[in-house]
Amino acid sequence: MQKEKEIQQLVDSLEGYLHQKVKVDLHYSDLSKIFKRMRRLDEERFSEYIKRMPTHILGDILETFNERMLKESLQILSLKKMIGTIKKMDSDDATDLMQDIEELDEELAASILAGLDNKEQEEIQRLKGYEEDEAGAYMQIEFFAANHNETVRQTIENLRKLKYSEELENVSSVFILGDYNNLVATVQLEDMLLFDFDKSFKEIISKRPEKYKPRYVNDKEDIEKVVMDFKEYDLQVVPVIDSDNYLVGRITADDIYDLLQEMATEQIYNMAGVDEEAEGEKRAIDISRKRGKWQFLNMCTAFFSASVIARYQTTIEMLPALAVLMPIVASMGGNTGNQALTVMVRQMAMGDVDDTNWDQSFFREIIVAILNGLIFATLVGLGSYVWFKNTKISLVMSFAIFMNFTIAGLCGTLIPLLLKKMKTDPAVGSSILLTMITDALGFLIFLGLANLFIF
Amino acid sequence: MQKEKEIQQLVDSLEGYLHQKVKVDLHYSDLSKIFKRMRRLDEERFSEYIKRMPTHILGDILETFNERMLKESLQILSLKKMIGTIKKMDSDDATDLMQDIEELDEELAASILAGLDNKEQEEIQRLKGYEEDEAGAYMQIEFFAANHNETVRQTIENLRKLKYSEELENVSSVFILGDYNNLVATVQLEDMLLFDFDKSFKEIISKRPEKYKPRYVNDKEDIEKVVMDFKEYDLQVVPVIDSDNYLVGRITADDIYDLLQEMATEQIYNMAGVDEEAEGEKRAIDISRKRGKWQFLNMCTAFFSASVIARYQTTIEMLPALAVLMPIVASMGGNTGNQALTVMVRQMAMGDVDDTNWDQSFFREIIVAILNGLIFATLVGLGSYVWFKNTKISLVMSFAIFMNFTIAGLCGTLIPLLLKKMKTDPAVGSSILLTMITDALGFLIFLGLANLFIF
C-alpha cells in the first residue's frame, strides 16, 4: 500500500507538471528524481510519462539518467521525438547527450543527427571535435553579443527579441565585438543599465577600457585552468575565443559547479585506485575490470613486501613475536604517509602548493613526521614492552616506528612532487607507491634491526 | 641576480596598479599572489607595499593570507587603515576577516569594531551569530530589492543610483518584496529588460507567478544543502530569508565555488584522518597534534590486529612462510575495501546514493567484490604455489583472499551507510574502522585456516 501511495504521489506531480493547472513549475532536476524513483516502482508508468514529457525539458531529464535508464528511454521514444528534443537543447548539452546515445546505439545517433538541420549538425560536430580536457568541450555556443558600433538601446531591443523567442537563458553579460568580430569587451547587464542608451558601446567603453576588458579563455585551454580562474576571479560567465580571436562560445557558472565536483571526485577516486568514468557507468563487470587493474598492482607490491619478510624467515622462526609486531610498523607508517600524501595532492590540485613554495610544505611535513615519529616511537615501544617484556624488542620497535614515520612523511611529500615534475597526475598511483615503500621498508627496518641486535 | 629581477617585476606590477598609468586593472587574486611571492623574496618591500594598498582592495588581499602573513600585516598596518579597510568590504568578507583578526589579537579586533559605525557593527555581530554550517554564515547582506508596487522604471533608477555609489556588485537579479517586506519574487535583470517599464512588478508578476517564484533558502538551513541546490538547479544567486520570511541576504555563485571545493577537501582529508582547519593554519605543532589523534587510533587498531596474530605464534613458529604471506591478505583486502568505501562515501556526499537506492550500490559492490575475489584468489594462490611449492598453503591463501575480498566489499559499503544512519559523517573514521576489520579478519582467516588444515 505504501508503494501504491508513493506511485500516486509521483503521478500527481507529473500530471501537475504536464497540465500546469496547479501552476507547478518543476525543474528538470525534480522531474529527473521523480522519473528515477518511478523507474524503480512502476516501469510501465515510467515509460508512459517519459513518452509524454515535452521536448523542451526531455533532453535535460535524459542527460541525468544512467546508461541503463537512457537505453530504456531510447527504446520507448520515437525518432521524431528525439530529434525534437535535441533541437531544443543548448548546444553543449545536446552534444553530451548525442555522445551518450552514440555509445549506446550508433545507428540511432546517426538517424537523429540526420534529422537536424545543417547548422545544428555542424554545431554538434564542432563541439564533439574538442578533447575532453579542452575548454571548448564545455562551452555552449548560445550567447549574446553586440557590435561596438551599436547603441545600447539597439542592443536592448535585440536582447528583447531574442528573449521573446526563448532561445537564450542566463544572459548576465553582453559580449562586445569589434570591427572584425573580435571580442573587445564584456559588459555586465547591471552596468549596461547605467549607460546612456543613445550612445554606442564604443564611446562608452573607450572611457574606461580597463573596466570592460574581457577576461576570456581560449577554446583549446585546459578546462581545469578555466575552473580555477572562475574560482579565483569570482566569475559568473566567461567568453571563449578561438585561435583567430573569434568569439565561439561561453562557459557559465553551472558548468563550473559540475566541473569542480567532478574534479574533486576524480582526485578522490584516483587516490583510491578507482576509475571515475567506469563508476559512473555502474555496470559491475566494467567496475570490476577497472578496479582489478589497481588491485593487480597492489598484489605485485604486496608480494614484493612479502619477499622482504621472506629474507628473515629464520629470524621469525626463532622469535615469532616479530611476526606479531611487524604489521604495526607497516600499518602506522602507511597511515602517516597517507596523511602527508593526501594533503600534498589536494593542496597541489587547489594550486596552494606549486613550484615556488613546495619547500615550505616539504619542511612542514618533515617536522610533523619527526614530531609524531618521536611520540609514537615512545608509545609503541612502551606498548611492546608491556606486552612482550623484552627490552631489545621494544627498542627495535621504537626505532623502526621512528624511521618509518620519517620515511613516510618524506615519501608522502616527495612522491606527488616528483609525479608532477614527470608531468603525470600526482593523485594517480601515488598511494600504491607509498604503501609499497612504507610496507617494504617498514618490514626491512624492523626485521633487519631485530636480526642485528636481538640475537 | 635572478632574485633581484623577480623582485623588480613584482615592484613594477604593484607600481603599475597603484598609479594606473599603464591601465593595469589587477584583481585581488593577482595582487595576493604578488604579495605572497614578495613576502618570500623581500620582506621590507612586502611591508612597504602592504601599507600602500588602497582600502577598497586591501581587505580582499588580507583574506587570502595565511595566519602568519596576516599577523605580520596587522603589525604593519595602522588601526585607522584597518577600520577603513573593513568598512569597504562586503559584509560576509568583513565578518570572516574580523574573525581571523580576533583569533590573532582580540584587543585589535575590538578596537577595529569600535571604529565602525553602529550599523556596520550590528551587521558583523549578526553574521558572526550564525553557526559554521548555517547558510546565514555564508550570505552577504548587500543585495538589491524592490517593492512590488514600484514600476520597473523606478527600480532601474534606484539601481543606477546604487551602482554609481559603487556599493554593490553582481546584481544579476532583483528581489521583489511584498507589502510586508516579505519576499514574493525574484526577477533576473535579463527578464526585467523585457518588461514594460511603466508597469509595476505586481502587475507583471501576477501574469506568470510561477516563473518568478523565488527559490530561496532559510538562514538556518544547512549550507551543504544550499550548495547542492545551486548545483542541481543551476542557480547564480539565491535570496536568504529568516524565520519571519524577511529577506536578510543573498548567497552568490562565487561562494559556491569555494564551498564546493572546501566540502570536497574536507571529505578527502576526513577519509585520510586529517583535519581541514588545522592544515589550513599550517603550524606544524597544530598539525602534528590533530594528525596524532588519528595515528593514535590507528596504533590501537594495529595492536588489536597484532593480538590476532599473537594467538597463532606457535603456528608461525612451525611454518614461518605464513608470516611472509599474511600481510598480502591484509593489504589486498584493505585496498579492495578502500575502493568500495571511497566510492560509497563520495556518492553519498554527492547525493547519488541515499536511503531510496542504497541497495543498488550495495549489490553492485558485492558482485564486484566476489568477481575480483575469485580472480585474485586464483592469482594469489598460483603465486604462492610457485613461491613455496606447498598446495595446502596456496589453497589456504586463495580461500583467505576470497573471504577477505568479500568482507572488504561488504564493510566498505556498509560502514558509511551505518555511520550515516547514526547521523555521523560517513567520511570520518570510516577508513580506520575498515582497515581494522580487513587487517584483523584477514590475519584471523588466513592463520586460522592454516592452523586447521596445514598441520
Side-chain angles (χ1 to χ4, degrees):
Chain A
M1 270 304 86
Q2 192 53 43
K3 189 180 156 188
E4 282 309 311
K5 217 173 134 187
E6 200 185 340
I7 293 174
Q8 195 52 49
Q9 277 173 355
L10 299 176
V11 166
D12 289 346
S13 303
L14 290 171
E15 289 291 340
Y17 175 78
L18 287 169
H19 298 298
Q20 303 263 348
K21 271 182 206 158
V22 276
K23 301 275 184 207
V24 260
D25 196 27
L26 291 175
H27 191 269
Y28 73 82
S29 268
D30 302 315
L31 290 166
S32 163
K33 275 186 214 154
I34 292 172
F35 274 111
K36 282 178 182 166
R37 192 73 194 135
M38 188 67 108
R39 163 76 183 52
R40 298 198 72 194
L41 295 171
D42 187 337
E43 288 196 36
E44 227 163 280
R45 282 226 176 73
F46 170 81
S47 306
E48 181 198 329
Y49 282 102
I50 272 290
K51 267 191 263 181
R52 286 173 60 193
M53 276 297 116
T55 49
H56 72 84
I57 200 160
L58 181 58
D60 291 327
I61 298 171
L62 291 178
E63 246 202 303
T64 66
F65 286 178
N66 65 19
E67 204 176 276
R68 197 195 300 169
M69 282 177 71
L70 178 59
K71 200 170 177 177
E72 285 176 12
S73 307
L74 292 175
Q75 281 160 357
I76 299 160
L77 295 162
S78 70
L79 177 63
K80 202 180 145 216
K81 181 104 179 198
M82 278 312 300
I83 292 170
T85 300
I86 294 285
K87 274 174 177 284
K88 286 278 188 183
M89 293 176 83
D90 281 345
S91 53
D92 51 345
D93 297 326
T95 308
D96 286 345
L97 186 57
M98 282 299 287
Q99 279 174 313
D100 290 341
I101 296 172
E102 209 169 66
E103 273 172 37
L104 288 171
D105 186 343
E106 268 189 56
E107 222 169 295
L108 176 63
S111 306
I112 296 172
L113 200 64
L116 303 176
D117 61 40
N118 285 344
K119 190 168 149 277
E120 290 159 343
Q121 286 186 23
E122 190 265 328
E123 283 169 5
I124 288 177
Q125 297 294 10
R126 183 150 53 89
L127 288 176
K128 263 173 64 181
Y130 288 105
E131 299 290 329
E132 213 190 345
D133 61 348
E134 287 175 350
Y138 300 87
M139 71 184 186
Q140 52 175 196
I141 54 167
E142 292 83 3
F143 54 80
F144 183 64
N147 190 282
H148 67 160
N149 293 318
E150 274 176 35
T151 64
V152 177
R153 193 178 304 281
Q154 279 174 313
T155 299
I156 291 177
E157 201 41 54
N158 290 341
L159 180 59
R160 279 189 184 188
K161 279 180 204 152
L162 201 72
K163 286 291 294 183
Y164 273 123
S165 71
E166 298 205 334
E167 278 192 11
L168 194 57
E169 281 180 341
N170 285 328
V171 187
S172 52
S173 302
V174 184
F175 303 130
I176 311 293
L177 304 178
D179 292 328
Y180 310 102
N181 270 337
N182 51 325
L183 181 70
V184 293
T186 300
V187 174
Q188 285 190 289
L189 286 193
E190 58 185 288
D191 289 319
M192 195 171 80
L193 284 173
L194 273 72
F195 295 165
D196 180 344
F197 285 9
D198 294 314
K199 281 198 176 142
S200 75
F201 284 105
K202 200 173 180 176
E203 286 173 84
I204 296 162
I205 290 165
S206 65
K207 275 173 204 148
R208 287 186 72 184
E210 79 285 0
K211 189 176 172 186
Y212 305 107
K213 209 178 112 187
R215 196 180 283 283
Y216 58 83
V217 299
N218 196 282
D219 60 346
K220 299 281 184 190
E221 211 166 307
D222 184 3
I223 186 67
E224 297 206 4
K225 171 89 179 45
V226 177
V227 172
M228 286 323 211
D229 278 357
F230 263 81
K231 207 185 106 56
E232 225 173 288
Y233 299 112
D234 303 333
L235 306 175
Q236 306 257 6
V237 61
V238 87
V240 183
I241 63 168
D242 67 9
S243 50
D244 298 327
N245 233 358
Y246 188 77
L247 181 64
V248 288
R250 63 170 184 163
I251 294 175
T252 48
D254 53 309
D255 301 318
I256 303 302
Y257 306 146
D258 293 341
L259 281 162
L260 268 168
Q261 195 171 63
E262 219 175 88
M263 280 159 60
T265 304
E266 209 183 319
Q267 194 199 322
I268 292 171
Y269 282 5
N270 279 339
M271 289 196 74
V274 178
D275 187 85
E276 197 237 330
E277 267 180 64
E279 297 296 330
E281 288 180 15
K282 292 180 187 179
R283 272 178 52 194
I285 185 81
D286 291 328
I287 297 173
S288 286
R289 211 175 36 232
K290 291 277 183 178
R291 291 199 199 165
K293 282 185 190 168
W294 289 104
Q295 288 166 342
F296 184 80
L297 214 66
N298 182 245
M299 183 182 76
C300 297
T301 64
F303 267 97
F304 173 74
S305 302
S307 74
V308 172
I309 305 171
R311 293 184 51 192
Y312 297 96
Q313 275 188 83
T314 45
T315 315
I316 291 171
E317 204 173 344
M318 288 189 283
L319 191 59
L322 298 179
V324 173
L325 291 174
M326 69 181 186
I328 297 176
V329 180
S331 165
M332 293 193 69
N335 184 245
T336 300
N338 193 43
Q339 289 179 330
L341 180 76
T342 303
V343 171
M344 277 307 278
V345 168
R346 186 63 186 158
Q347 293 195 344
M348 285 166 74
M350 295 192 297
D352 293 344
V353 172
D354 58 28
D355 286 349
T356 67
N357 64 2
W358 65 273
D359 51 331
Q360 287 179 334
S361 308
F362 179 75
F363 290 119
R364 190 189 64 221
E365 289 298 334
I366 301 303
I367 294 170
V368 171
I370 289 175
L371 272 174
N372 285 0
L374 286 172
I375 291 166
F376 286 96
T378 313
L379 287 177
V380 171
L382 285 174
S384 314
Y385 184 77
V386 170
W387 195 356
F388 290 101
K389 304 281 185 296
N390 182 324
T391 321
K392 279 185 177 173
I393 288 184
S394 81
L395 281 176
V396 165
M397 193 69 186
S398 282
F399 195 71
I401 287 280
F402 177 73
M403 287 290 288
N404 213 18
F405 262 66
T406 314
I407 290 164
L410 209 66
C411 293
T413 324
L414 287 182
I415 288 173
L417 287 169
L418 289 176
L419 287 175
K420 182 84 180 275
K421 266 261 175 293
M422 289 158 61
K423 310 260 178 223
T424 66
D425 186 338
V428 178
S430 48
S431 71
I432 280 196
L433 196 59
L434 175 79
T435 310
M436 187 183 77
I437 295 171
T438 52
D439 275 4
L441 283 184
F443 294 141
L444 184 69
I445 293 166
F446 178 63
L447 295 173
L449 288 173
N451 193 38
L452 275 176
F453 295 109
I454 297 181
F455 302 101
Chain B
M1 271 302 87
Q2 190 54 43
K3 190 181 155 187
E4 282 310 312
K5 217 171 132 188
E6 201 185 341
I7 293 174
Q8 196 50 53
Q9 277 173 354
L10 299 175
V11 167
D12 289 346
S13 302
L14 290 170
E15 290 290 343
Y17 175 78
L18 287 168
H19 298 298
Q20 302 265 348
K21 271 183 206 156
V22 275
K23 302 272 184 209
V24 258
D25 194 26
L26 290 176
H27 190 270
Y28 74 82
S29 270
D30 302 316
L31 290 166
S32 163
K33 275 186 216 154
I34 292 172
F35 275 110
K36 281 179 183 166
R37 192 73 193 136
M38 188 68 106
R39 163 74 184 51
R40 298 199 72 193
L41 295 171
D42 187 336
E43 289 195 35
E44 227 165 280
R45 282 226 177 74
F46 170 81
S47 305
E48 181 198 330
Y49 282 103
I50 271 291
K51 269 190 265 183
R52 287 174 59 193
M53 276 298 116
T55 50
H56 72 83
I57 200 158
L58 181 57
D60 292 327
I61 298 171
L62 291 177
E63 245 204 302
T64 66
F65 286 178
N66 65 20
E67 205 176 276
R68 196 194 301 170
M69 282 177 71
L70 178 59
K71 200 170 177 176
E72 285 176 13
S73 306
L74 292 175
Q75 281 158 357
I76 299 160
L77 295 163
S78 70
L79 178 62
K80 200 178 145 217
K81 180 103 178 201
M82 276 313 299
I83 293 168
T85 299
I86 295 285
K87 275 175 176 285
K88 287 277 187 184
M89 293 176 82
D90 281 345
S91 53
D92 51 345
D93 297 326
T95 308
D96 286 345
L97 185 57
M98 281 301 285
Q99 279 174 313
D100 290 341
I101 295 172
E102 211 170 62
E103 273 171 38
L104 289 170
D105 186 344
E106 269 189 54
E107 222 171 295
L108 176 64
S111 309
I112 295 172
L113 200 64
L116 303 176
D117 60 40
N118 285 343
K119 190 169 147 274
E120 290 159 343
Q121 287 186 21
E122 191 265 326
E123 283 169 5
I124 288 177
Q125 297 294 9
R126 184 149 54 89
L127 287 178
K128 264 172 65 181
Y130 288 105
E131 299 291 329
E132 212 189 345
D133 61 348
E134 288 176 347
Y138 299 87
M139 71 183 184
Q140 52 176 198
I141 54 166
E142 293 83 5
F143 55 80
F144 182 65
N147 189 282
H148 68 160
N149 293 317
E150 273 176 35
T151 63
V152 177
R153 194 178 305 279
Q154 279 173 313
T155 299
I156 291 178
E157 201 41 54
N158 290 341
L159 180 60
R160 278 190 185 187
K161 279 180 206 152
L162 201 73
K163 287 291 294 182
Y164 272 122
S165 70
E166 296 205 336
E167 280 192 10
L168 195 57
E169 280 181 343
N170 285 330
V171 187
S172 51
S173 301
V174 184
F175 303 130
I176 311 295
L177 304 178
D179 292 327
Y180 310 102
N181 269 338
N182 52 323
L183 180 70
V184 293
T186 300
V187 174
Q188 286 190 287
L189 286 192
E190 59 185 287
D191 289 320
M192 197 172 78
L193 284 173
L194 273 71
F195 295 165
D196 179 343
F197 285 9
D198 293 315
K199 282 200 174 139
S200 75
F201 284 105
K202 200 173 179 176
E203 286 174 84
I204 295 161
I205 291 165
S206 64
K207 275 173 203 150
R208 286 185 70 184
E210 79 285 0
K211 188 175 176 188
Y212 305 108
K213 208 178 113 188
R215 195 180 284 280
Y216 58 84
V217 298
N218 196 283
D219 60 347
K220 300 280 184 189
E221 210 167 306
D222 183 2
I223 186 66
E224 297 207 4
K225 170 88 179 47
V226 177
V227 172
M228 285 323 203
D229 277 357
F230 263 82
K231 209 184 104 58
E232 225 174 289
Y233 299 113
D234 303 333
L235 306 175
Q236 306 258 4
V237 60
V238 88
V240 183
I241 62 169
D242 67 10
S243 50
D244 299 325
N245 233 358
Y246 188 76
L247 181 64
V248 288
R250 61 169 185 166
I251 294 175
T252 49
D254 54 309
D255 301 318
I256 302 302
Y257 305 147
D258 294 341
L259 280 162
L260 267 168
Q261 195 170 63
E262 219 174 86
M263 279 160 58
T265 304
E266 211 185 316
Q267 194 200 323
I268 293 171
Y269 282 6
N270 279 339
M271 288 196 74
V274 177
D275 187 86
E276 198 236 327
E277 267 179 66
E279 296 297 329
E281 288 178 17
K282 291 182 187 179
R283 271 180 52 196
I285 185 80
D286 291 328
I287 297 174
S288 285
R289 209 173 40 230
K290 290 276 184 179
R291 290 197 199 167
K293 283 186 190 168
W294 289 104
Q295 288 166 342
F296 183 79
L297 214 65
N298 182 244
M299 184 183 75
C300 298
T301 63
F303 267 96
F304 173 74
S305 303
S307 75
V308 172
I309 306 173
R311 294 182 52 191
Y312 297 97
Q313 276 188 80
T314 44
T315 316
I316 291 171
E317 205 174 345
M318 288 190 283
L319 191 58
L322 298 179
V324 174
L325 290 174
M326 69 181 186
I328 297 176
V329 180
S331 165
M332 293 192 71
N335 184 246
T336 299
N338 193 42
Q339 289 180 329
L341 180 77
T342 304
V343 171
M344 277 306 279
V345 168
R346 186 63 186 157
Q347 294 194 342
M348 283 165 74
M350 295 192 298
D352 292 345
V353 172
D354 58 29
D355 286 349
T356 67
N357 63 4
W358 65 272
D359 51 330
Q360 287 180 335
S361 308
F362 178 76
F363 290 119
R364 189 188 65 221
E365 289 299 334
I366 301 304
I367 294 170
V368 171
I370 289 176
L371 272 175
N372 285 1
L374 287 172
I375 291 166
F376 286 97
T378 313
L379 287 176
V380 172
L382 284 174
S384 315
Y385 185 77
V386 170
W387 195 355
F388 290 100
K389 303 284 186 297
N390 180 326
T391 321
K392 280 182 176 175
I393 289 183
S394 79
L395 280 177
V396 165
M397 192 67 186
S398 282
F399 196 71
I401 286 281
F402 177 74
M403 287 290 288
N404 214 17
F405 262 65
T406 313
I407 291 164
L410 208 65
C411 293
T413 324
L414 287 182
I415 289 172
L417 287 169
L418 289 176
L419 288 175
K420 183 82 180 278
K421 266 262 174 290
M422 289 158 61
K423 310 261 178 223
T424 67
D425 186 337
V428 178
S430 48
S431 71
I432 280 195
L433 197 60
L434 176 79
T435 310
M436 187 185 76
I437 295 172
T438 52
D439 276 4
L441 283 186
F443 294 141
L444 184 69
I445 293 167
F446 178 64
L447 295 174
L449 288 173
N451 194 37
L452 276 176
F453 295 110
I454 297 182
F455 305 101

